[in-house]
Amino acid sequence: MRTSTIGDDARGSQSGVRRRRGARRARRAAVRIHARVGDSVNSETMAALRTGRALARALERAGGGRGAIERCGGSSRTRAAHAAASGWAGSGRDDGAGGGDGRRRDGRAAPRADGQSGGTNVQWLRGQGMPAQGGVRQDQAPSSAPRGVAPAPLRGTPAPPPQQRQRAPQGVTQTPRSPPQQGRSPPRAPSAENTTSATGHFSTPAPVVHRSRPDAEGEYAAQESTGPPGLRDALMDQGIVLQSYTPGQHRIICPTCNGGSTGERSLAVHIEDDGKSAAWCCHRANCEWTGGTSKEGRQRASKGADGAASNRRVAKPKLPDPADLQRIGPGNMTPAATKWSEFLKSRGISLEVAERNGLAVQNVYSPPASGYVDALCFPYMRDGELINIKYRGPDKSFWQVKGAEKILYGLDDVAGEEEVIIVEGEMDKLALEMAGFRNVVSVPDGAPGKVKDGALPSPEDDRKYEYLWNCRAQLDTISRFVIATDSDGPGRALSEELARRLGKERCWRVTWPEGCKDANEALQKEGVETVRESLSTAEGFPLRGLFRFSEFAPEIESYFNMTTANELRGVSTGWRNIDNHYRVVPGELTVVTGVPNSGKSEWVDALMCNLAVQHGWSFALCSLENKVHEHARKLVEKYVGEPWFEGKYSKAPRMNPDSMRTGMKWLNEHFVLIRHEDDELPSVDWILGLARAAVLRHGIRGLLIDPYNELDHKRPTGQTETEYVSQMLTRIKRFAQHYDVHVWFVAHPRQLHNWKGECPGLYDISGSAHFINKCDNGIVVHRNRDEKLGSLREVTVNVQKVRNKVAGSIGEPKLEYNVANGRYVDVV
Ligand SMILES: [Zn+2]
């Protein structure tokens, strides 16, 4: 559903122009502000500037960027607007950037050959007076440590090129395969390896806890998701928004010149290999905008804005006093810690791994248990600072520090990594470390309970993913995400949503072995080899437009097991006679024609009414020859079954006002109007743009375009009408297929010479033979005008073309028209 490019489709139409003008105005305003501010960065102005740009983009996308419009409108959080505008949240427009970067890897999850990856040990429990056992360094740990069980590169999987493995940032422990590493003690643990186990009795360590910045403004300040700014923010300050921020070349529409009249992607943005700086250049001769920025530059420049936000962010999170924490690790532990260490061992987690991840026990108040318990603590660290703690109570309940920022668990382990594995729980991260993977993060809250059905996330739902935004500085430059969530429904939904937001082109997903719910279960039941196997066989997320048949398995299965009621065979038209020849299949295009006054539009109206009543479908109507009140009358008459007026065209009594209102209510629920208010004729692209919005907003299943002849058919010089019609129908079909919407396209036949009342053919449509070639169904509605041949109310629905042989066949079913209420009934 991400191909919506309303901006493109609207191009050339008045309203599209209007929208773009609005966008340009907004951007110009933003640029003016920028100019006035100059280099002295005023936080308010910066915020206004950013909002202005976000709005400009949202306007530009004009409803097609589903996230953009909805979120900008629905939420006052500028961050959310940023997220939407930046493409982070999968906003509709494809910047065309980044796709290549995500795919340059070999498509496999290659573990560190030595079972290690970059990333420091969690140091928050270490410090002076630290007992000895805790100080054993990972690379010197006994054989139970991860690297002891780590294998050589996976079967059939080439080891990652050395330069990939060695590309660890400064300050990150990087362990070559052999010999055992010497002398690179992890930061902030200077005394760790000098301590001995001879200390004898255990005492609560005095850990070094780096808290997040003090909150100067107290609790009244609004919570705001933030996190350290990344290159993304620095680029956004320049009005540059990319689809992804992986190192390499990206191309977007230049925000300065807007890509000229053709909207070309003239701005080349190059992100340096370290992901920390970028340079850009517009290649349009009359623009040539060039520049550069960096993460650091942004941090300095906007200290005022973001520093304040960060300080305000946390409403006094009550992070534990280090003295209250009891360490878990090899050697002496408190009874409570010993108990939890047994639990960890039973889950296949070694104490070394537990310790490296900073696990501890705290006697703390448990909101779920309404009392004090010895809870297992998972520290959430970022850049060595304790940000949050996830507690696990003895009763398998979970809670976190109130008011603390939501971030990913294990974030510091992926600093500088190109490849990151995402799991659904802290235990899964530990399990993967046992299997040799340290470049793993866990989402903080597991999978949201209910499976998303494609509806727009509400702002509250959206907050469930705020940790992604908070960690953007760390995640932006990652080339490859291996998503290894649980194999249940919520887990799959989580993986879909993560991929949508992170960009599917850089996401792969893991399938756990049969009978294993997650990484921890796979480790316990199947062992490390199976876990590695599962990760190495991670499959790419389906990229837009690139599929395997297996991805359609459920549809293909149900097509095979199809019953007559199945939608794939099309839904019933409501007329038995018609159903034998024509059923309405979602995603198809039906061209309807007929001589003037044959009732072709009327028949399609009746069909839509049947579908709305019987199947609950809703529709977008672009009916250019109908006045709104006329069209309402025709539709309500069909629904109510009584005439609107009395005596005008029937003797039946007119519907009473209540029926009319009931009818109007129904009409309102099932039909939306696409109306062109300007003098100019609407273009097909303009209609399709609005129809896309109607799919998102109203869930329409059908679109009526009536008639073809009333549309704007200006075509580029040199293009023949045949080519034009062909391309136009292709666009309509693409829309229909993509959104599973059935489109009826009504077209008048060309002037018929010496017409004697006979039924025209599809080839008589003015335009070209492409109508017949491109449509899925071709129907000619014809009314008998010769009393000698039968009833004048008899209408033939001449099904002249059916592409889908399962859905119907050509034929000439007949209906009878009821003048009083506009309904059609089967002729028996
Ligand atoms: Zn430019």
Side-chain angles (χ1 to χ4, degrees):
M1 296 298 126
R2 294 178 64 226
T3 46
S4 47
T5 50
I6 285 200
D8 294 339
D9 291 306
R11 187 165 297 142
S13 76
Q14 279 219 339
S15 115
V17 167
R18 212 183 302 128
R19 255 179 252 129
R20 283 204 302 284
R21 263 186 222 136
R24 241 177 267 140
R25 249 199 310 275
R27 194 177 301 120
R28 242 182 272 131
V31 170
R32 269 202 302 278
I33 296 170
H34 199 29
R36 220 183 311 130
V37 174
D39 283 326
S40 78
V41 180
N42 166 310
S43 64
E44 270 176 32
T45 320
M46 286 308 289
L49 178 63
R50 287 199 297 267
T51 313
R53 281 192 173 129
L55 277 172
R57 282 197 166 63
L59 276 166
E60 194 161 51
R61 280 168 199 155
R66 47 172 10 177
I69 277 271
E70 293 294 329
R71 283 170 215 198
C72 283
S75 161
S76 59
R77 287 177 293 133
T78 39
R79 283 292 185 196
H82 281 191
S86 67
W88 180 279
S91 53
R93 184 66 156 268
D94 179 6
D95 287 322
D101 299 303
R103 270 165 289 180
R104 66 189 159 176
R105 305 293 298 274
D106 62 3
R108 289 180 175 271
R112 300 265 153 185
D114 55 2
Q116 303 262 1
S117 65
T120 52
N121 290 6
V122 173
Q123 295 300 325
W124 71 310
L125 271 179
R126 300 252 174 103
Q128 288 164 342
M130 189 71 189
Q133 304 79 4
V136 179
R137 257 191 5 212
Q138 183 57 52
D139 47 337
Q140 295 170 345
S143 59
S144 60
R147 65 182 285 263
V149 295
L154 291 160
R155 213 178 329 129
T157 310
Q163 69 272 21
Q164 283 177 7
R165 260 183 288 144
Q166 285 165 10
R167 262 192 54 193
Q170 298 159 328
V172 169
T173 310
Q174 181 77 31
T175 313
R177 183 156 171 69
S178 70
Q181 187 170 7
Q182 303 293 330
R184 284 185 76 181
S185 52
R188 283 188 297 278
S191 63
E193 59 206 85
N194 299 327
T195 49
T196 68
S197 58
T199 323
H201 80 275
F202 174 80
S203 66
T204 308
V208 181
V209 176
H210 299 265
R211 289 171 187 272
S212 48
R213 297 181 205 98
D215 48 318
E217 300 189 47
E219 309 204 19
Y220 60 84
Q223 277 202 21
E224 189 173 346
S225 54
T226 152
L231 182 61
R232 168 196 299 266
D233 306 70
L235 284 169
M236 195 142 25
D237 287 347
Q238 304 290 331
I240 296 172
V241 175
L242 303 178
Q243 179 86 350
S244 85
Y245 294 80
T246 48
Q249 196 87 355
H250 305 258
R251 285 196 88 96
I252 57 164
I253 293 175
C254 170
T256 302
C257 66
N258 210 14
S261 56
T262 54
E264 64 177 314
R265 288 172 176 151
S266 55
L267 192 76
V269 182
H270 181 80
I271 295 188
E272 294 300 326
D273 277 354
D274 59 5
K276 287 179 179 159
S277 57
W280 58 86
C281 162
C282 176
H283 70 60
R284 292 190 67 246
N286 51 2
C287 174
E288 292 185 332
W289 180 45
T290 55
T293 190
S294 75
K295 201 168 155 176
E296 281 74 22
R298 170 55 157 64
Q299 275 167 329
R300 274 198 305 277
S302 62
K303 195 120 193 159
D306 263 65
S310 301
N311 284 346
R312 255 183 281 119
R313 169 211 344 139
V314 186
K316 282 205 173 126
K318 276 181 136 176
L319 293 167
D321 185 335
D324 293 339
L325 296 164
Q326 306 155 41
R327 63 173 283 275
I328 292 177
N332 291 335
M333 287 181 278
T334 63
T338 307
K339 215 173 150 194
W340 274 113
S341 72
E342 291 305 317
F343 160 77
L344 291 168
K345 278 188 247 170
S346 77
R347 299 284 292 263
I349 310 300
S350 75
L351 293 182
E352 287 80 9
V353 165
E355 176 160 62
R356 198 199 69 81
N357 285 278
L359 267 58
V361 175
Q362 186 187 359
N363 188 262
V364 66
Y365 182 80
S366 157
S370 306
Y372 277 81
V373 296
D374 286 321
L376 181 62
C377 311
F378 296 94
Y380 277 65
M381 315 288 289
R382 183 174 59 208
D383 296 334
E385 288 181 12
L386 179 62
I387 305 289
N388 193 356
I389 287 189
K390 167 81 94 44
Y391 291 102
R392 183 189 172 114
D395 52 351
K396 214 182 171 240
S397 58
F398 297 90
W399 68 98
Q400 296 177 47
V401 176
K402 192 163 174 271
E405 187 183 350
K406 289 280 172 67
I407 60 168
L408 291 161
Y409 178 67
L411 199 54
D412 286 354
D413 285 339
V414 302
E417 290 288 330
E418 286 196 343
E419 180 171 306
V420 167
I421 302 166
I422 304 181
V423 291
E424 199 175 314
E426 295 82 359
M427 291 303 290
D428 296 323
K429 170 170 168 57
L430 302 183
L432 287 185
E433 186 156 332
M434 292 304 297
F437 300 91
R438 204 181 274 188
N439 52 332
V440 182
V441 290
S442 166
V443 302
D445 299 313
K450 73 172 188 282
V451 181
K452 289 251 164 54
D453 52 3
L456 287 171
S458 66
E460 304 85 71
D461 273 353
D462 212 41
R463 296 215 70 173
K464 288 182 187 140
Y465 293 93
E466 70 182 69
Y467 55 83
L468 291 178
W469 176 257
N470 292 343
C471 298
R472 66 196 180 282
Q474 289 81 6
L475 300 181
D476 273 352
T477 56
I478 306 271
S479 307
R480 183 165 188 258
F481 291 99
V482 177
I483 300 180
T485 54
D486 293 3
S487 53
D488 53 9
R492 277 193 297 274
L494 173 65
S495 87
E496 281 293 326
E497 187 64 10
L498 288 173
R500 195 173 73 81
R501 293 178 182 234
L502 294 168
K504 286 191 176 175
E505 69 281 352
R506 52 174 182 161
C507 289
W508 274 251
R509 67 179 155 201
V510 168
T511 309
W512 296 115
E514 198 69 28
C516 296
K517 185 169 76 73
D518 55 27
N520 200 182
E521 271 194 28
L523 176 72
Q524 285 176 273
K525 289 185 182 170
E526 309 284 337
V528 290
E529 273 307 325
T530 306
V531 171
R532 287 188 201 122
E533 180 76 26
S534 301
L535 286 168
S536 70
T537 53
E539 285 202 23
F541 269 80
L543 282 175
R544 185 196 307 161
L546 198 58
F547 303 99
R548 284 171 195 265
F549 275 101
S550 60
E551 286 157 27
F552 294 87
E555 280 151 275
I556 295 169
E557 284 271 320
S558 68
Y559 182 58
F560 180 72
N561 300 319
M562 183 173 71
T563 62
T564 46
N566 197 298
E567 267 201 8
L568 286 165
R569 219 201 126 183
V571 298
S572 165
T573 60
W575 299 293
R576 213 172 338 106
N577 288 356
I578 307 288
D579 281 352
N580 292 331
H581 300 281
Y582 172 67
R583 296 169 65 93
V584 182
V585 180
E588 286 193 353
L589 167 66
T590 297
V591 169
V592 181
T593 189
V595 296
N597 292 317
S598 61
K600 55 185 182 295
S601 301
E602 186 95 18
W603 177 75
V604 177
D605 279 356
L607 173 59
M608 288 189 295
C609 287
N610 286 356
L611 294 169
V613 169
Q614 294 181 359
H615 308 293
W617 281 30
S618 54
F619 304 86
L621 306 176
C622 184
S623 184
L624 302 158
E625 289 177 340
N626 266 314
K627 291 195 173 77
V628 173
H629 59 269
E630 279 287 322
H631 209 179
R633 171 183 67 77
K634 292 177 187 170
L635 292 165
V636 170
E637 278 179 345
K638 289 175 178 56
Y639 175 68
V640 172
E642 293 163 358
W644 189 269
F645 295 118
E646 206 162 310
K648 273 213 161 177
Y649 40 78
S650 88
K651 299 214 162 50
R654 70 182 299 193
M655 66 181 76
N656 65 43
D658 281 348
S659 304
M660 181 270 185
R661 275 173 213 120
T662 309
M664 279 307 297
K665 186 169 176 291
W666 170 84
L667 195 60
N668 214 37
E669 285 164 3
H670 291 278
F671 296 88
V672 290
L673 297 163
I674 293 177
R675 307 231 6 125
H676 203 255
E677 306 288 346
D678 299 314
D679 297 342
E680 278 185 33
L681 297 172
S683 71
V684 161
D685 290 334
W686 178 79
I687 293 169
L688 292 181
L690 288 171
R692 270 188 197 106
V695 173
L696 295 174
R697 205 125 343 130
H698 304 288
I700 60 158
R701 303 298 308 270
L703 167 67
L704 169 69
I705 304 175
D706 178 14
Y708 157 78
N709 315 61
E710 289 283 311
L711 301 179
D712 177 15
H713 295 306
K714 278 198 284 292
R715 51 179 198 264
T717 34
Q719 191 177 48
T720 66
E721 183 173 21
T722 308
E723 286 164 354
Y724 167 77
V725 170
S726 166
Q727 288 182 11
M728 176 193 64
L729 289 175
T730 300
R731 288 203 295 280
I732 294 175
K733 280 190 70 171
R734 211 182 290 149
F735 163 81
Q737 283 169 6
H738 194 93
Y739 292 98
D740 254 349
V741 166
H742 194 102
V743 180
W744 291 273
F745 203 60
V746 177
H748 295 307
R750 63 164 171 260
Q751 210 75 41
L752 298 171
H753 297 292
N754 306 319
W755 182 63
K756 302 218 170 56
E758 74 277 8
C759 178
L762 285 171
Y763 285 93
D764 292 320
I765 298 173
S766 62
S768 78
H770 273 292
F771 276 99
I772 310 100
N773 297 339
K774 288 264 164 140
C775 67
D776 296 297
N777 309 287
I779 290 175
V780 183
V781 177
H782 193 61
R783 189 157 63 90
N784 177 31
R785 289 158 201 256
D786 187 346
E787 246 172 316
K788 283 175 276 177
L789 296 173
S791 164
L792 290 180
R793 293 175 177 189
E794 190 179 277
V795 175
T796 305
V797 178
N798 202 323
V799 182
Q800 295 197 357
K801 180 189 176 182
V802 177
R803 190 196 295 276
N804 180 354
K805 303 290 175 246
V806 184
S809 60
I810 57 170
E812 301 180 7
K814 290 181 170 36
L815 298 174
E816 191 172 285
Y817 180 64
N818 182 335
V819 187
N821 57 20
R823 286 180 175 177
Y824 292 78
V825 292
D826 279 308
V827 173
V828 229

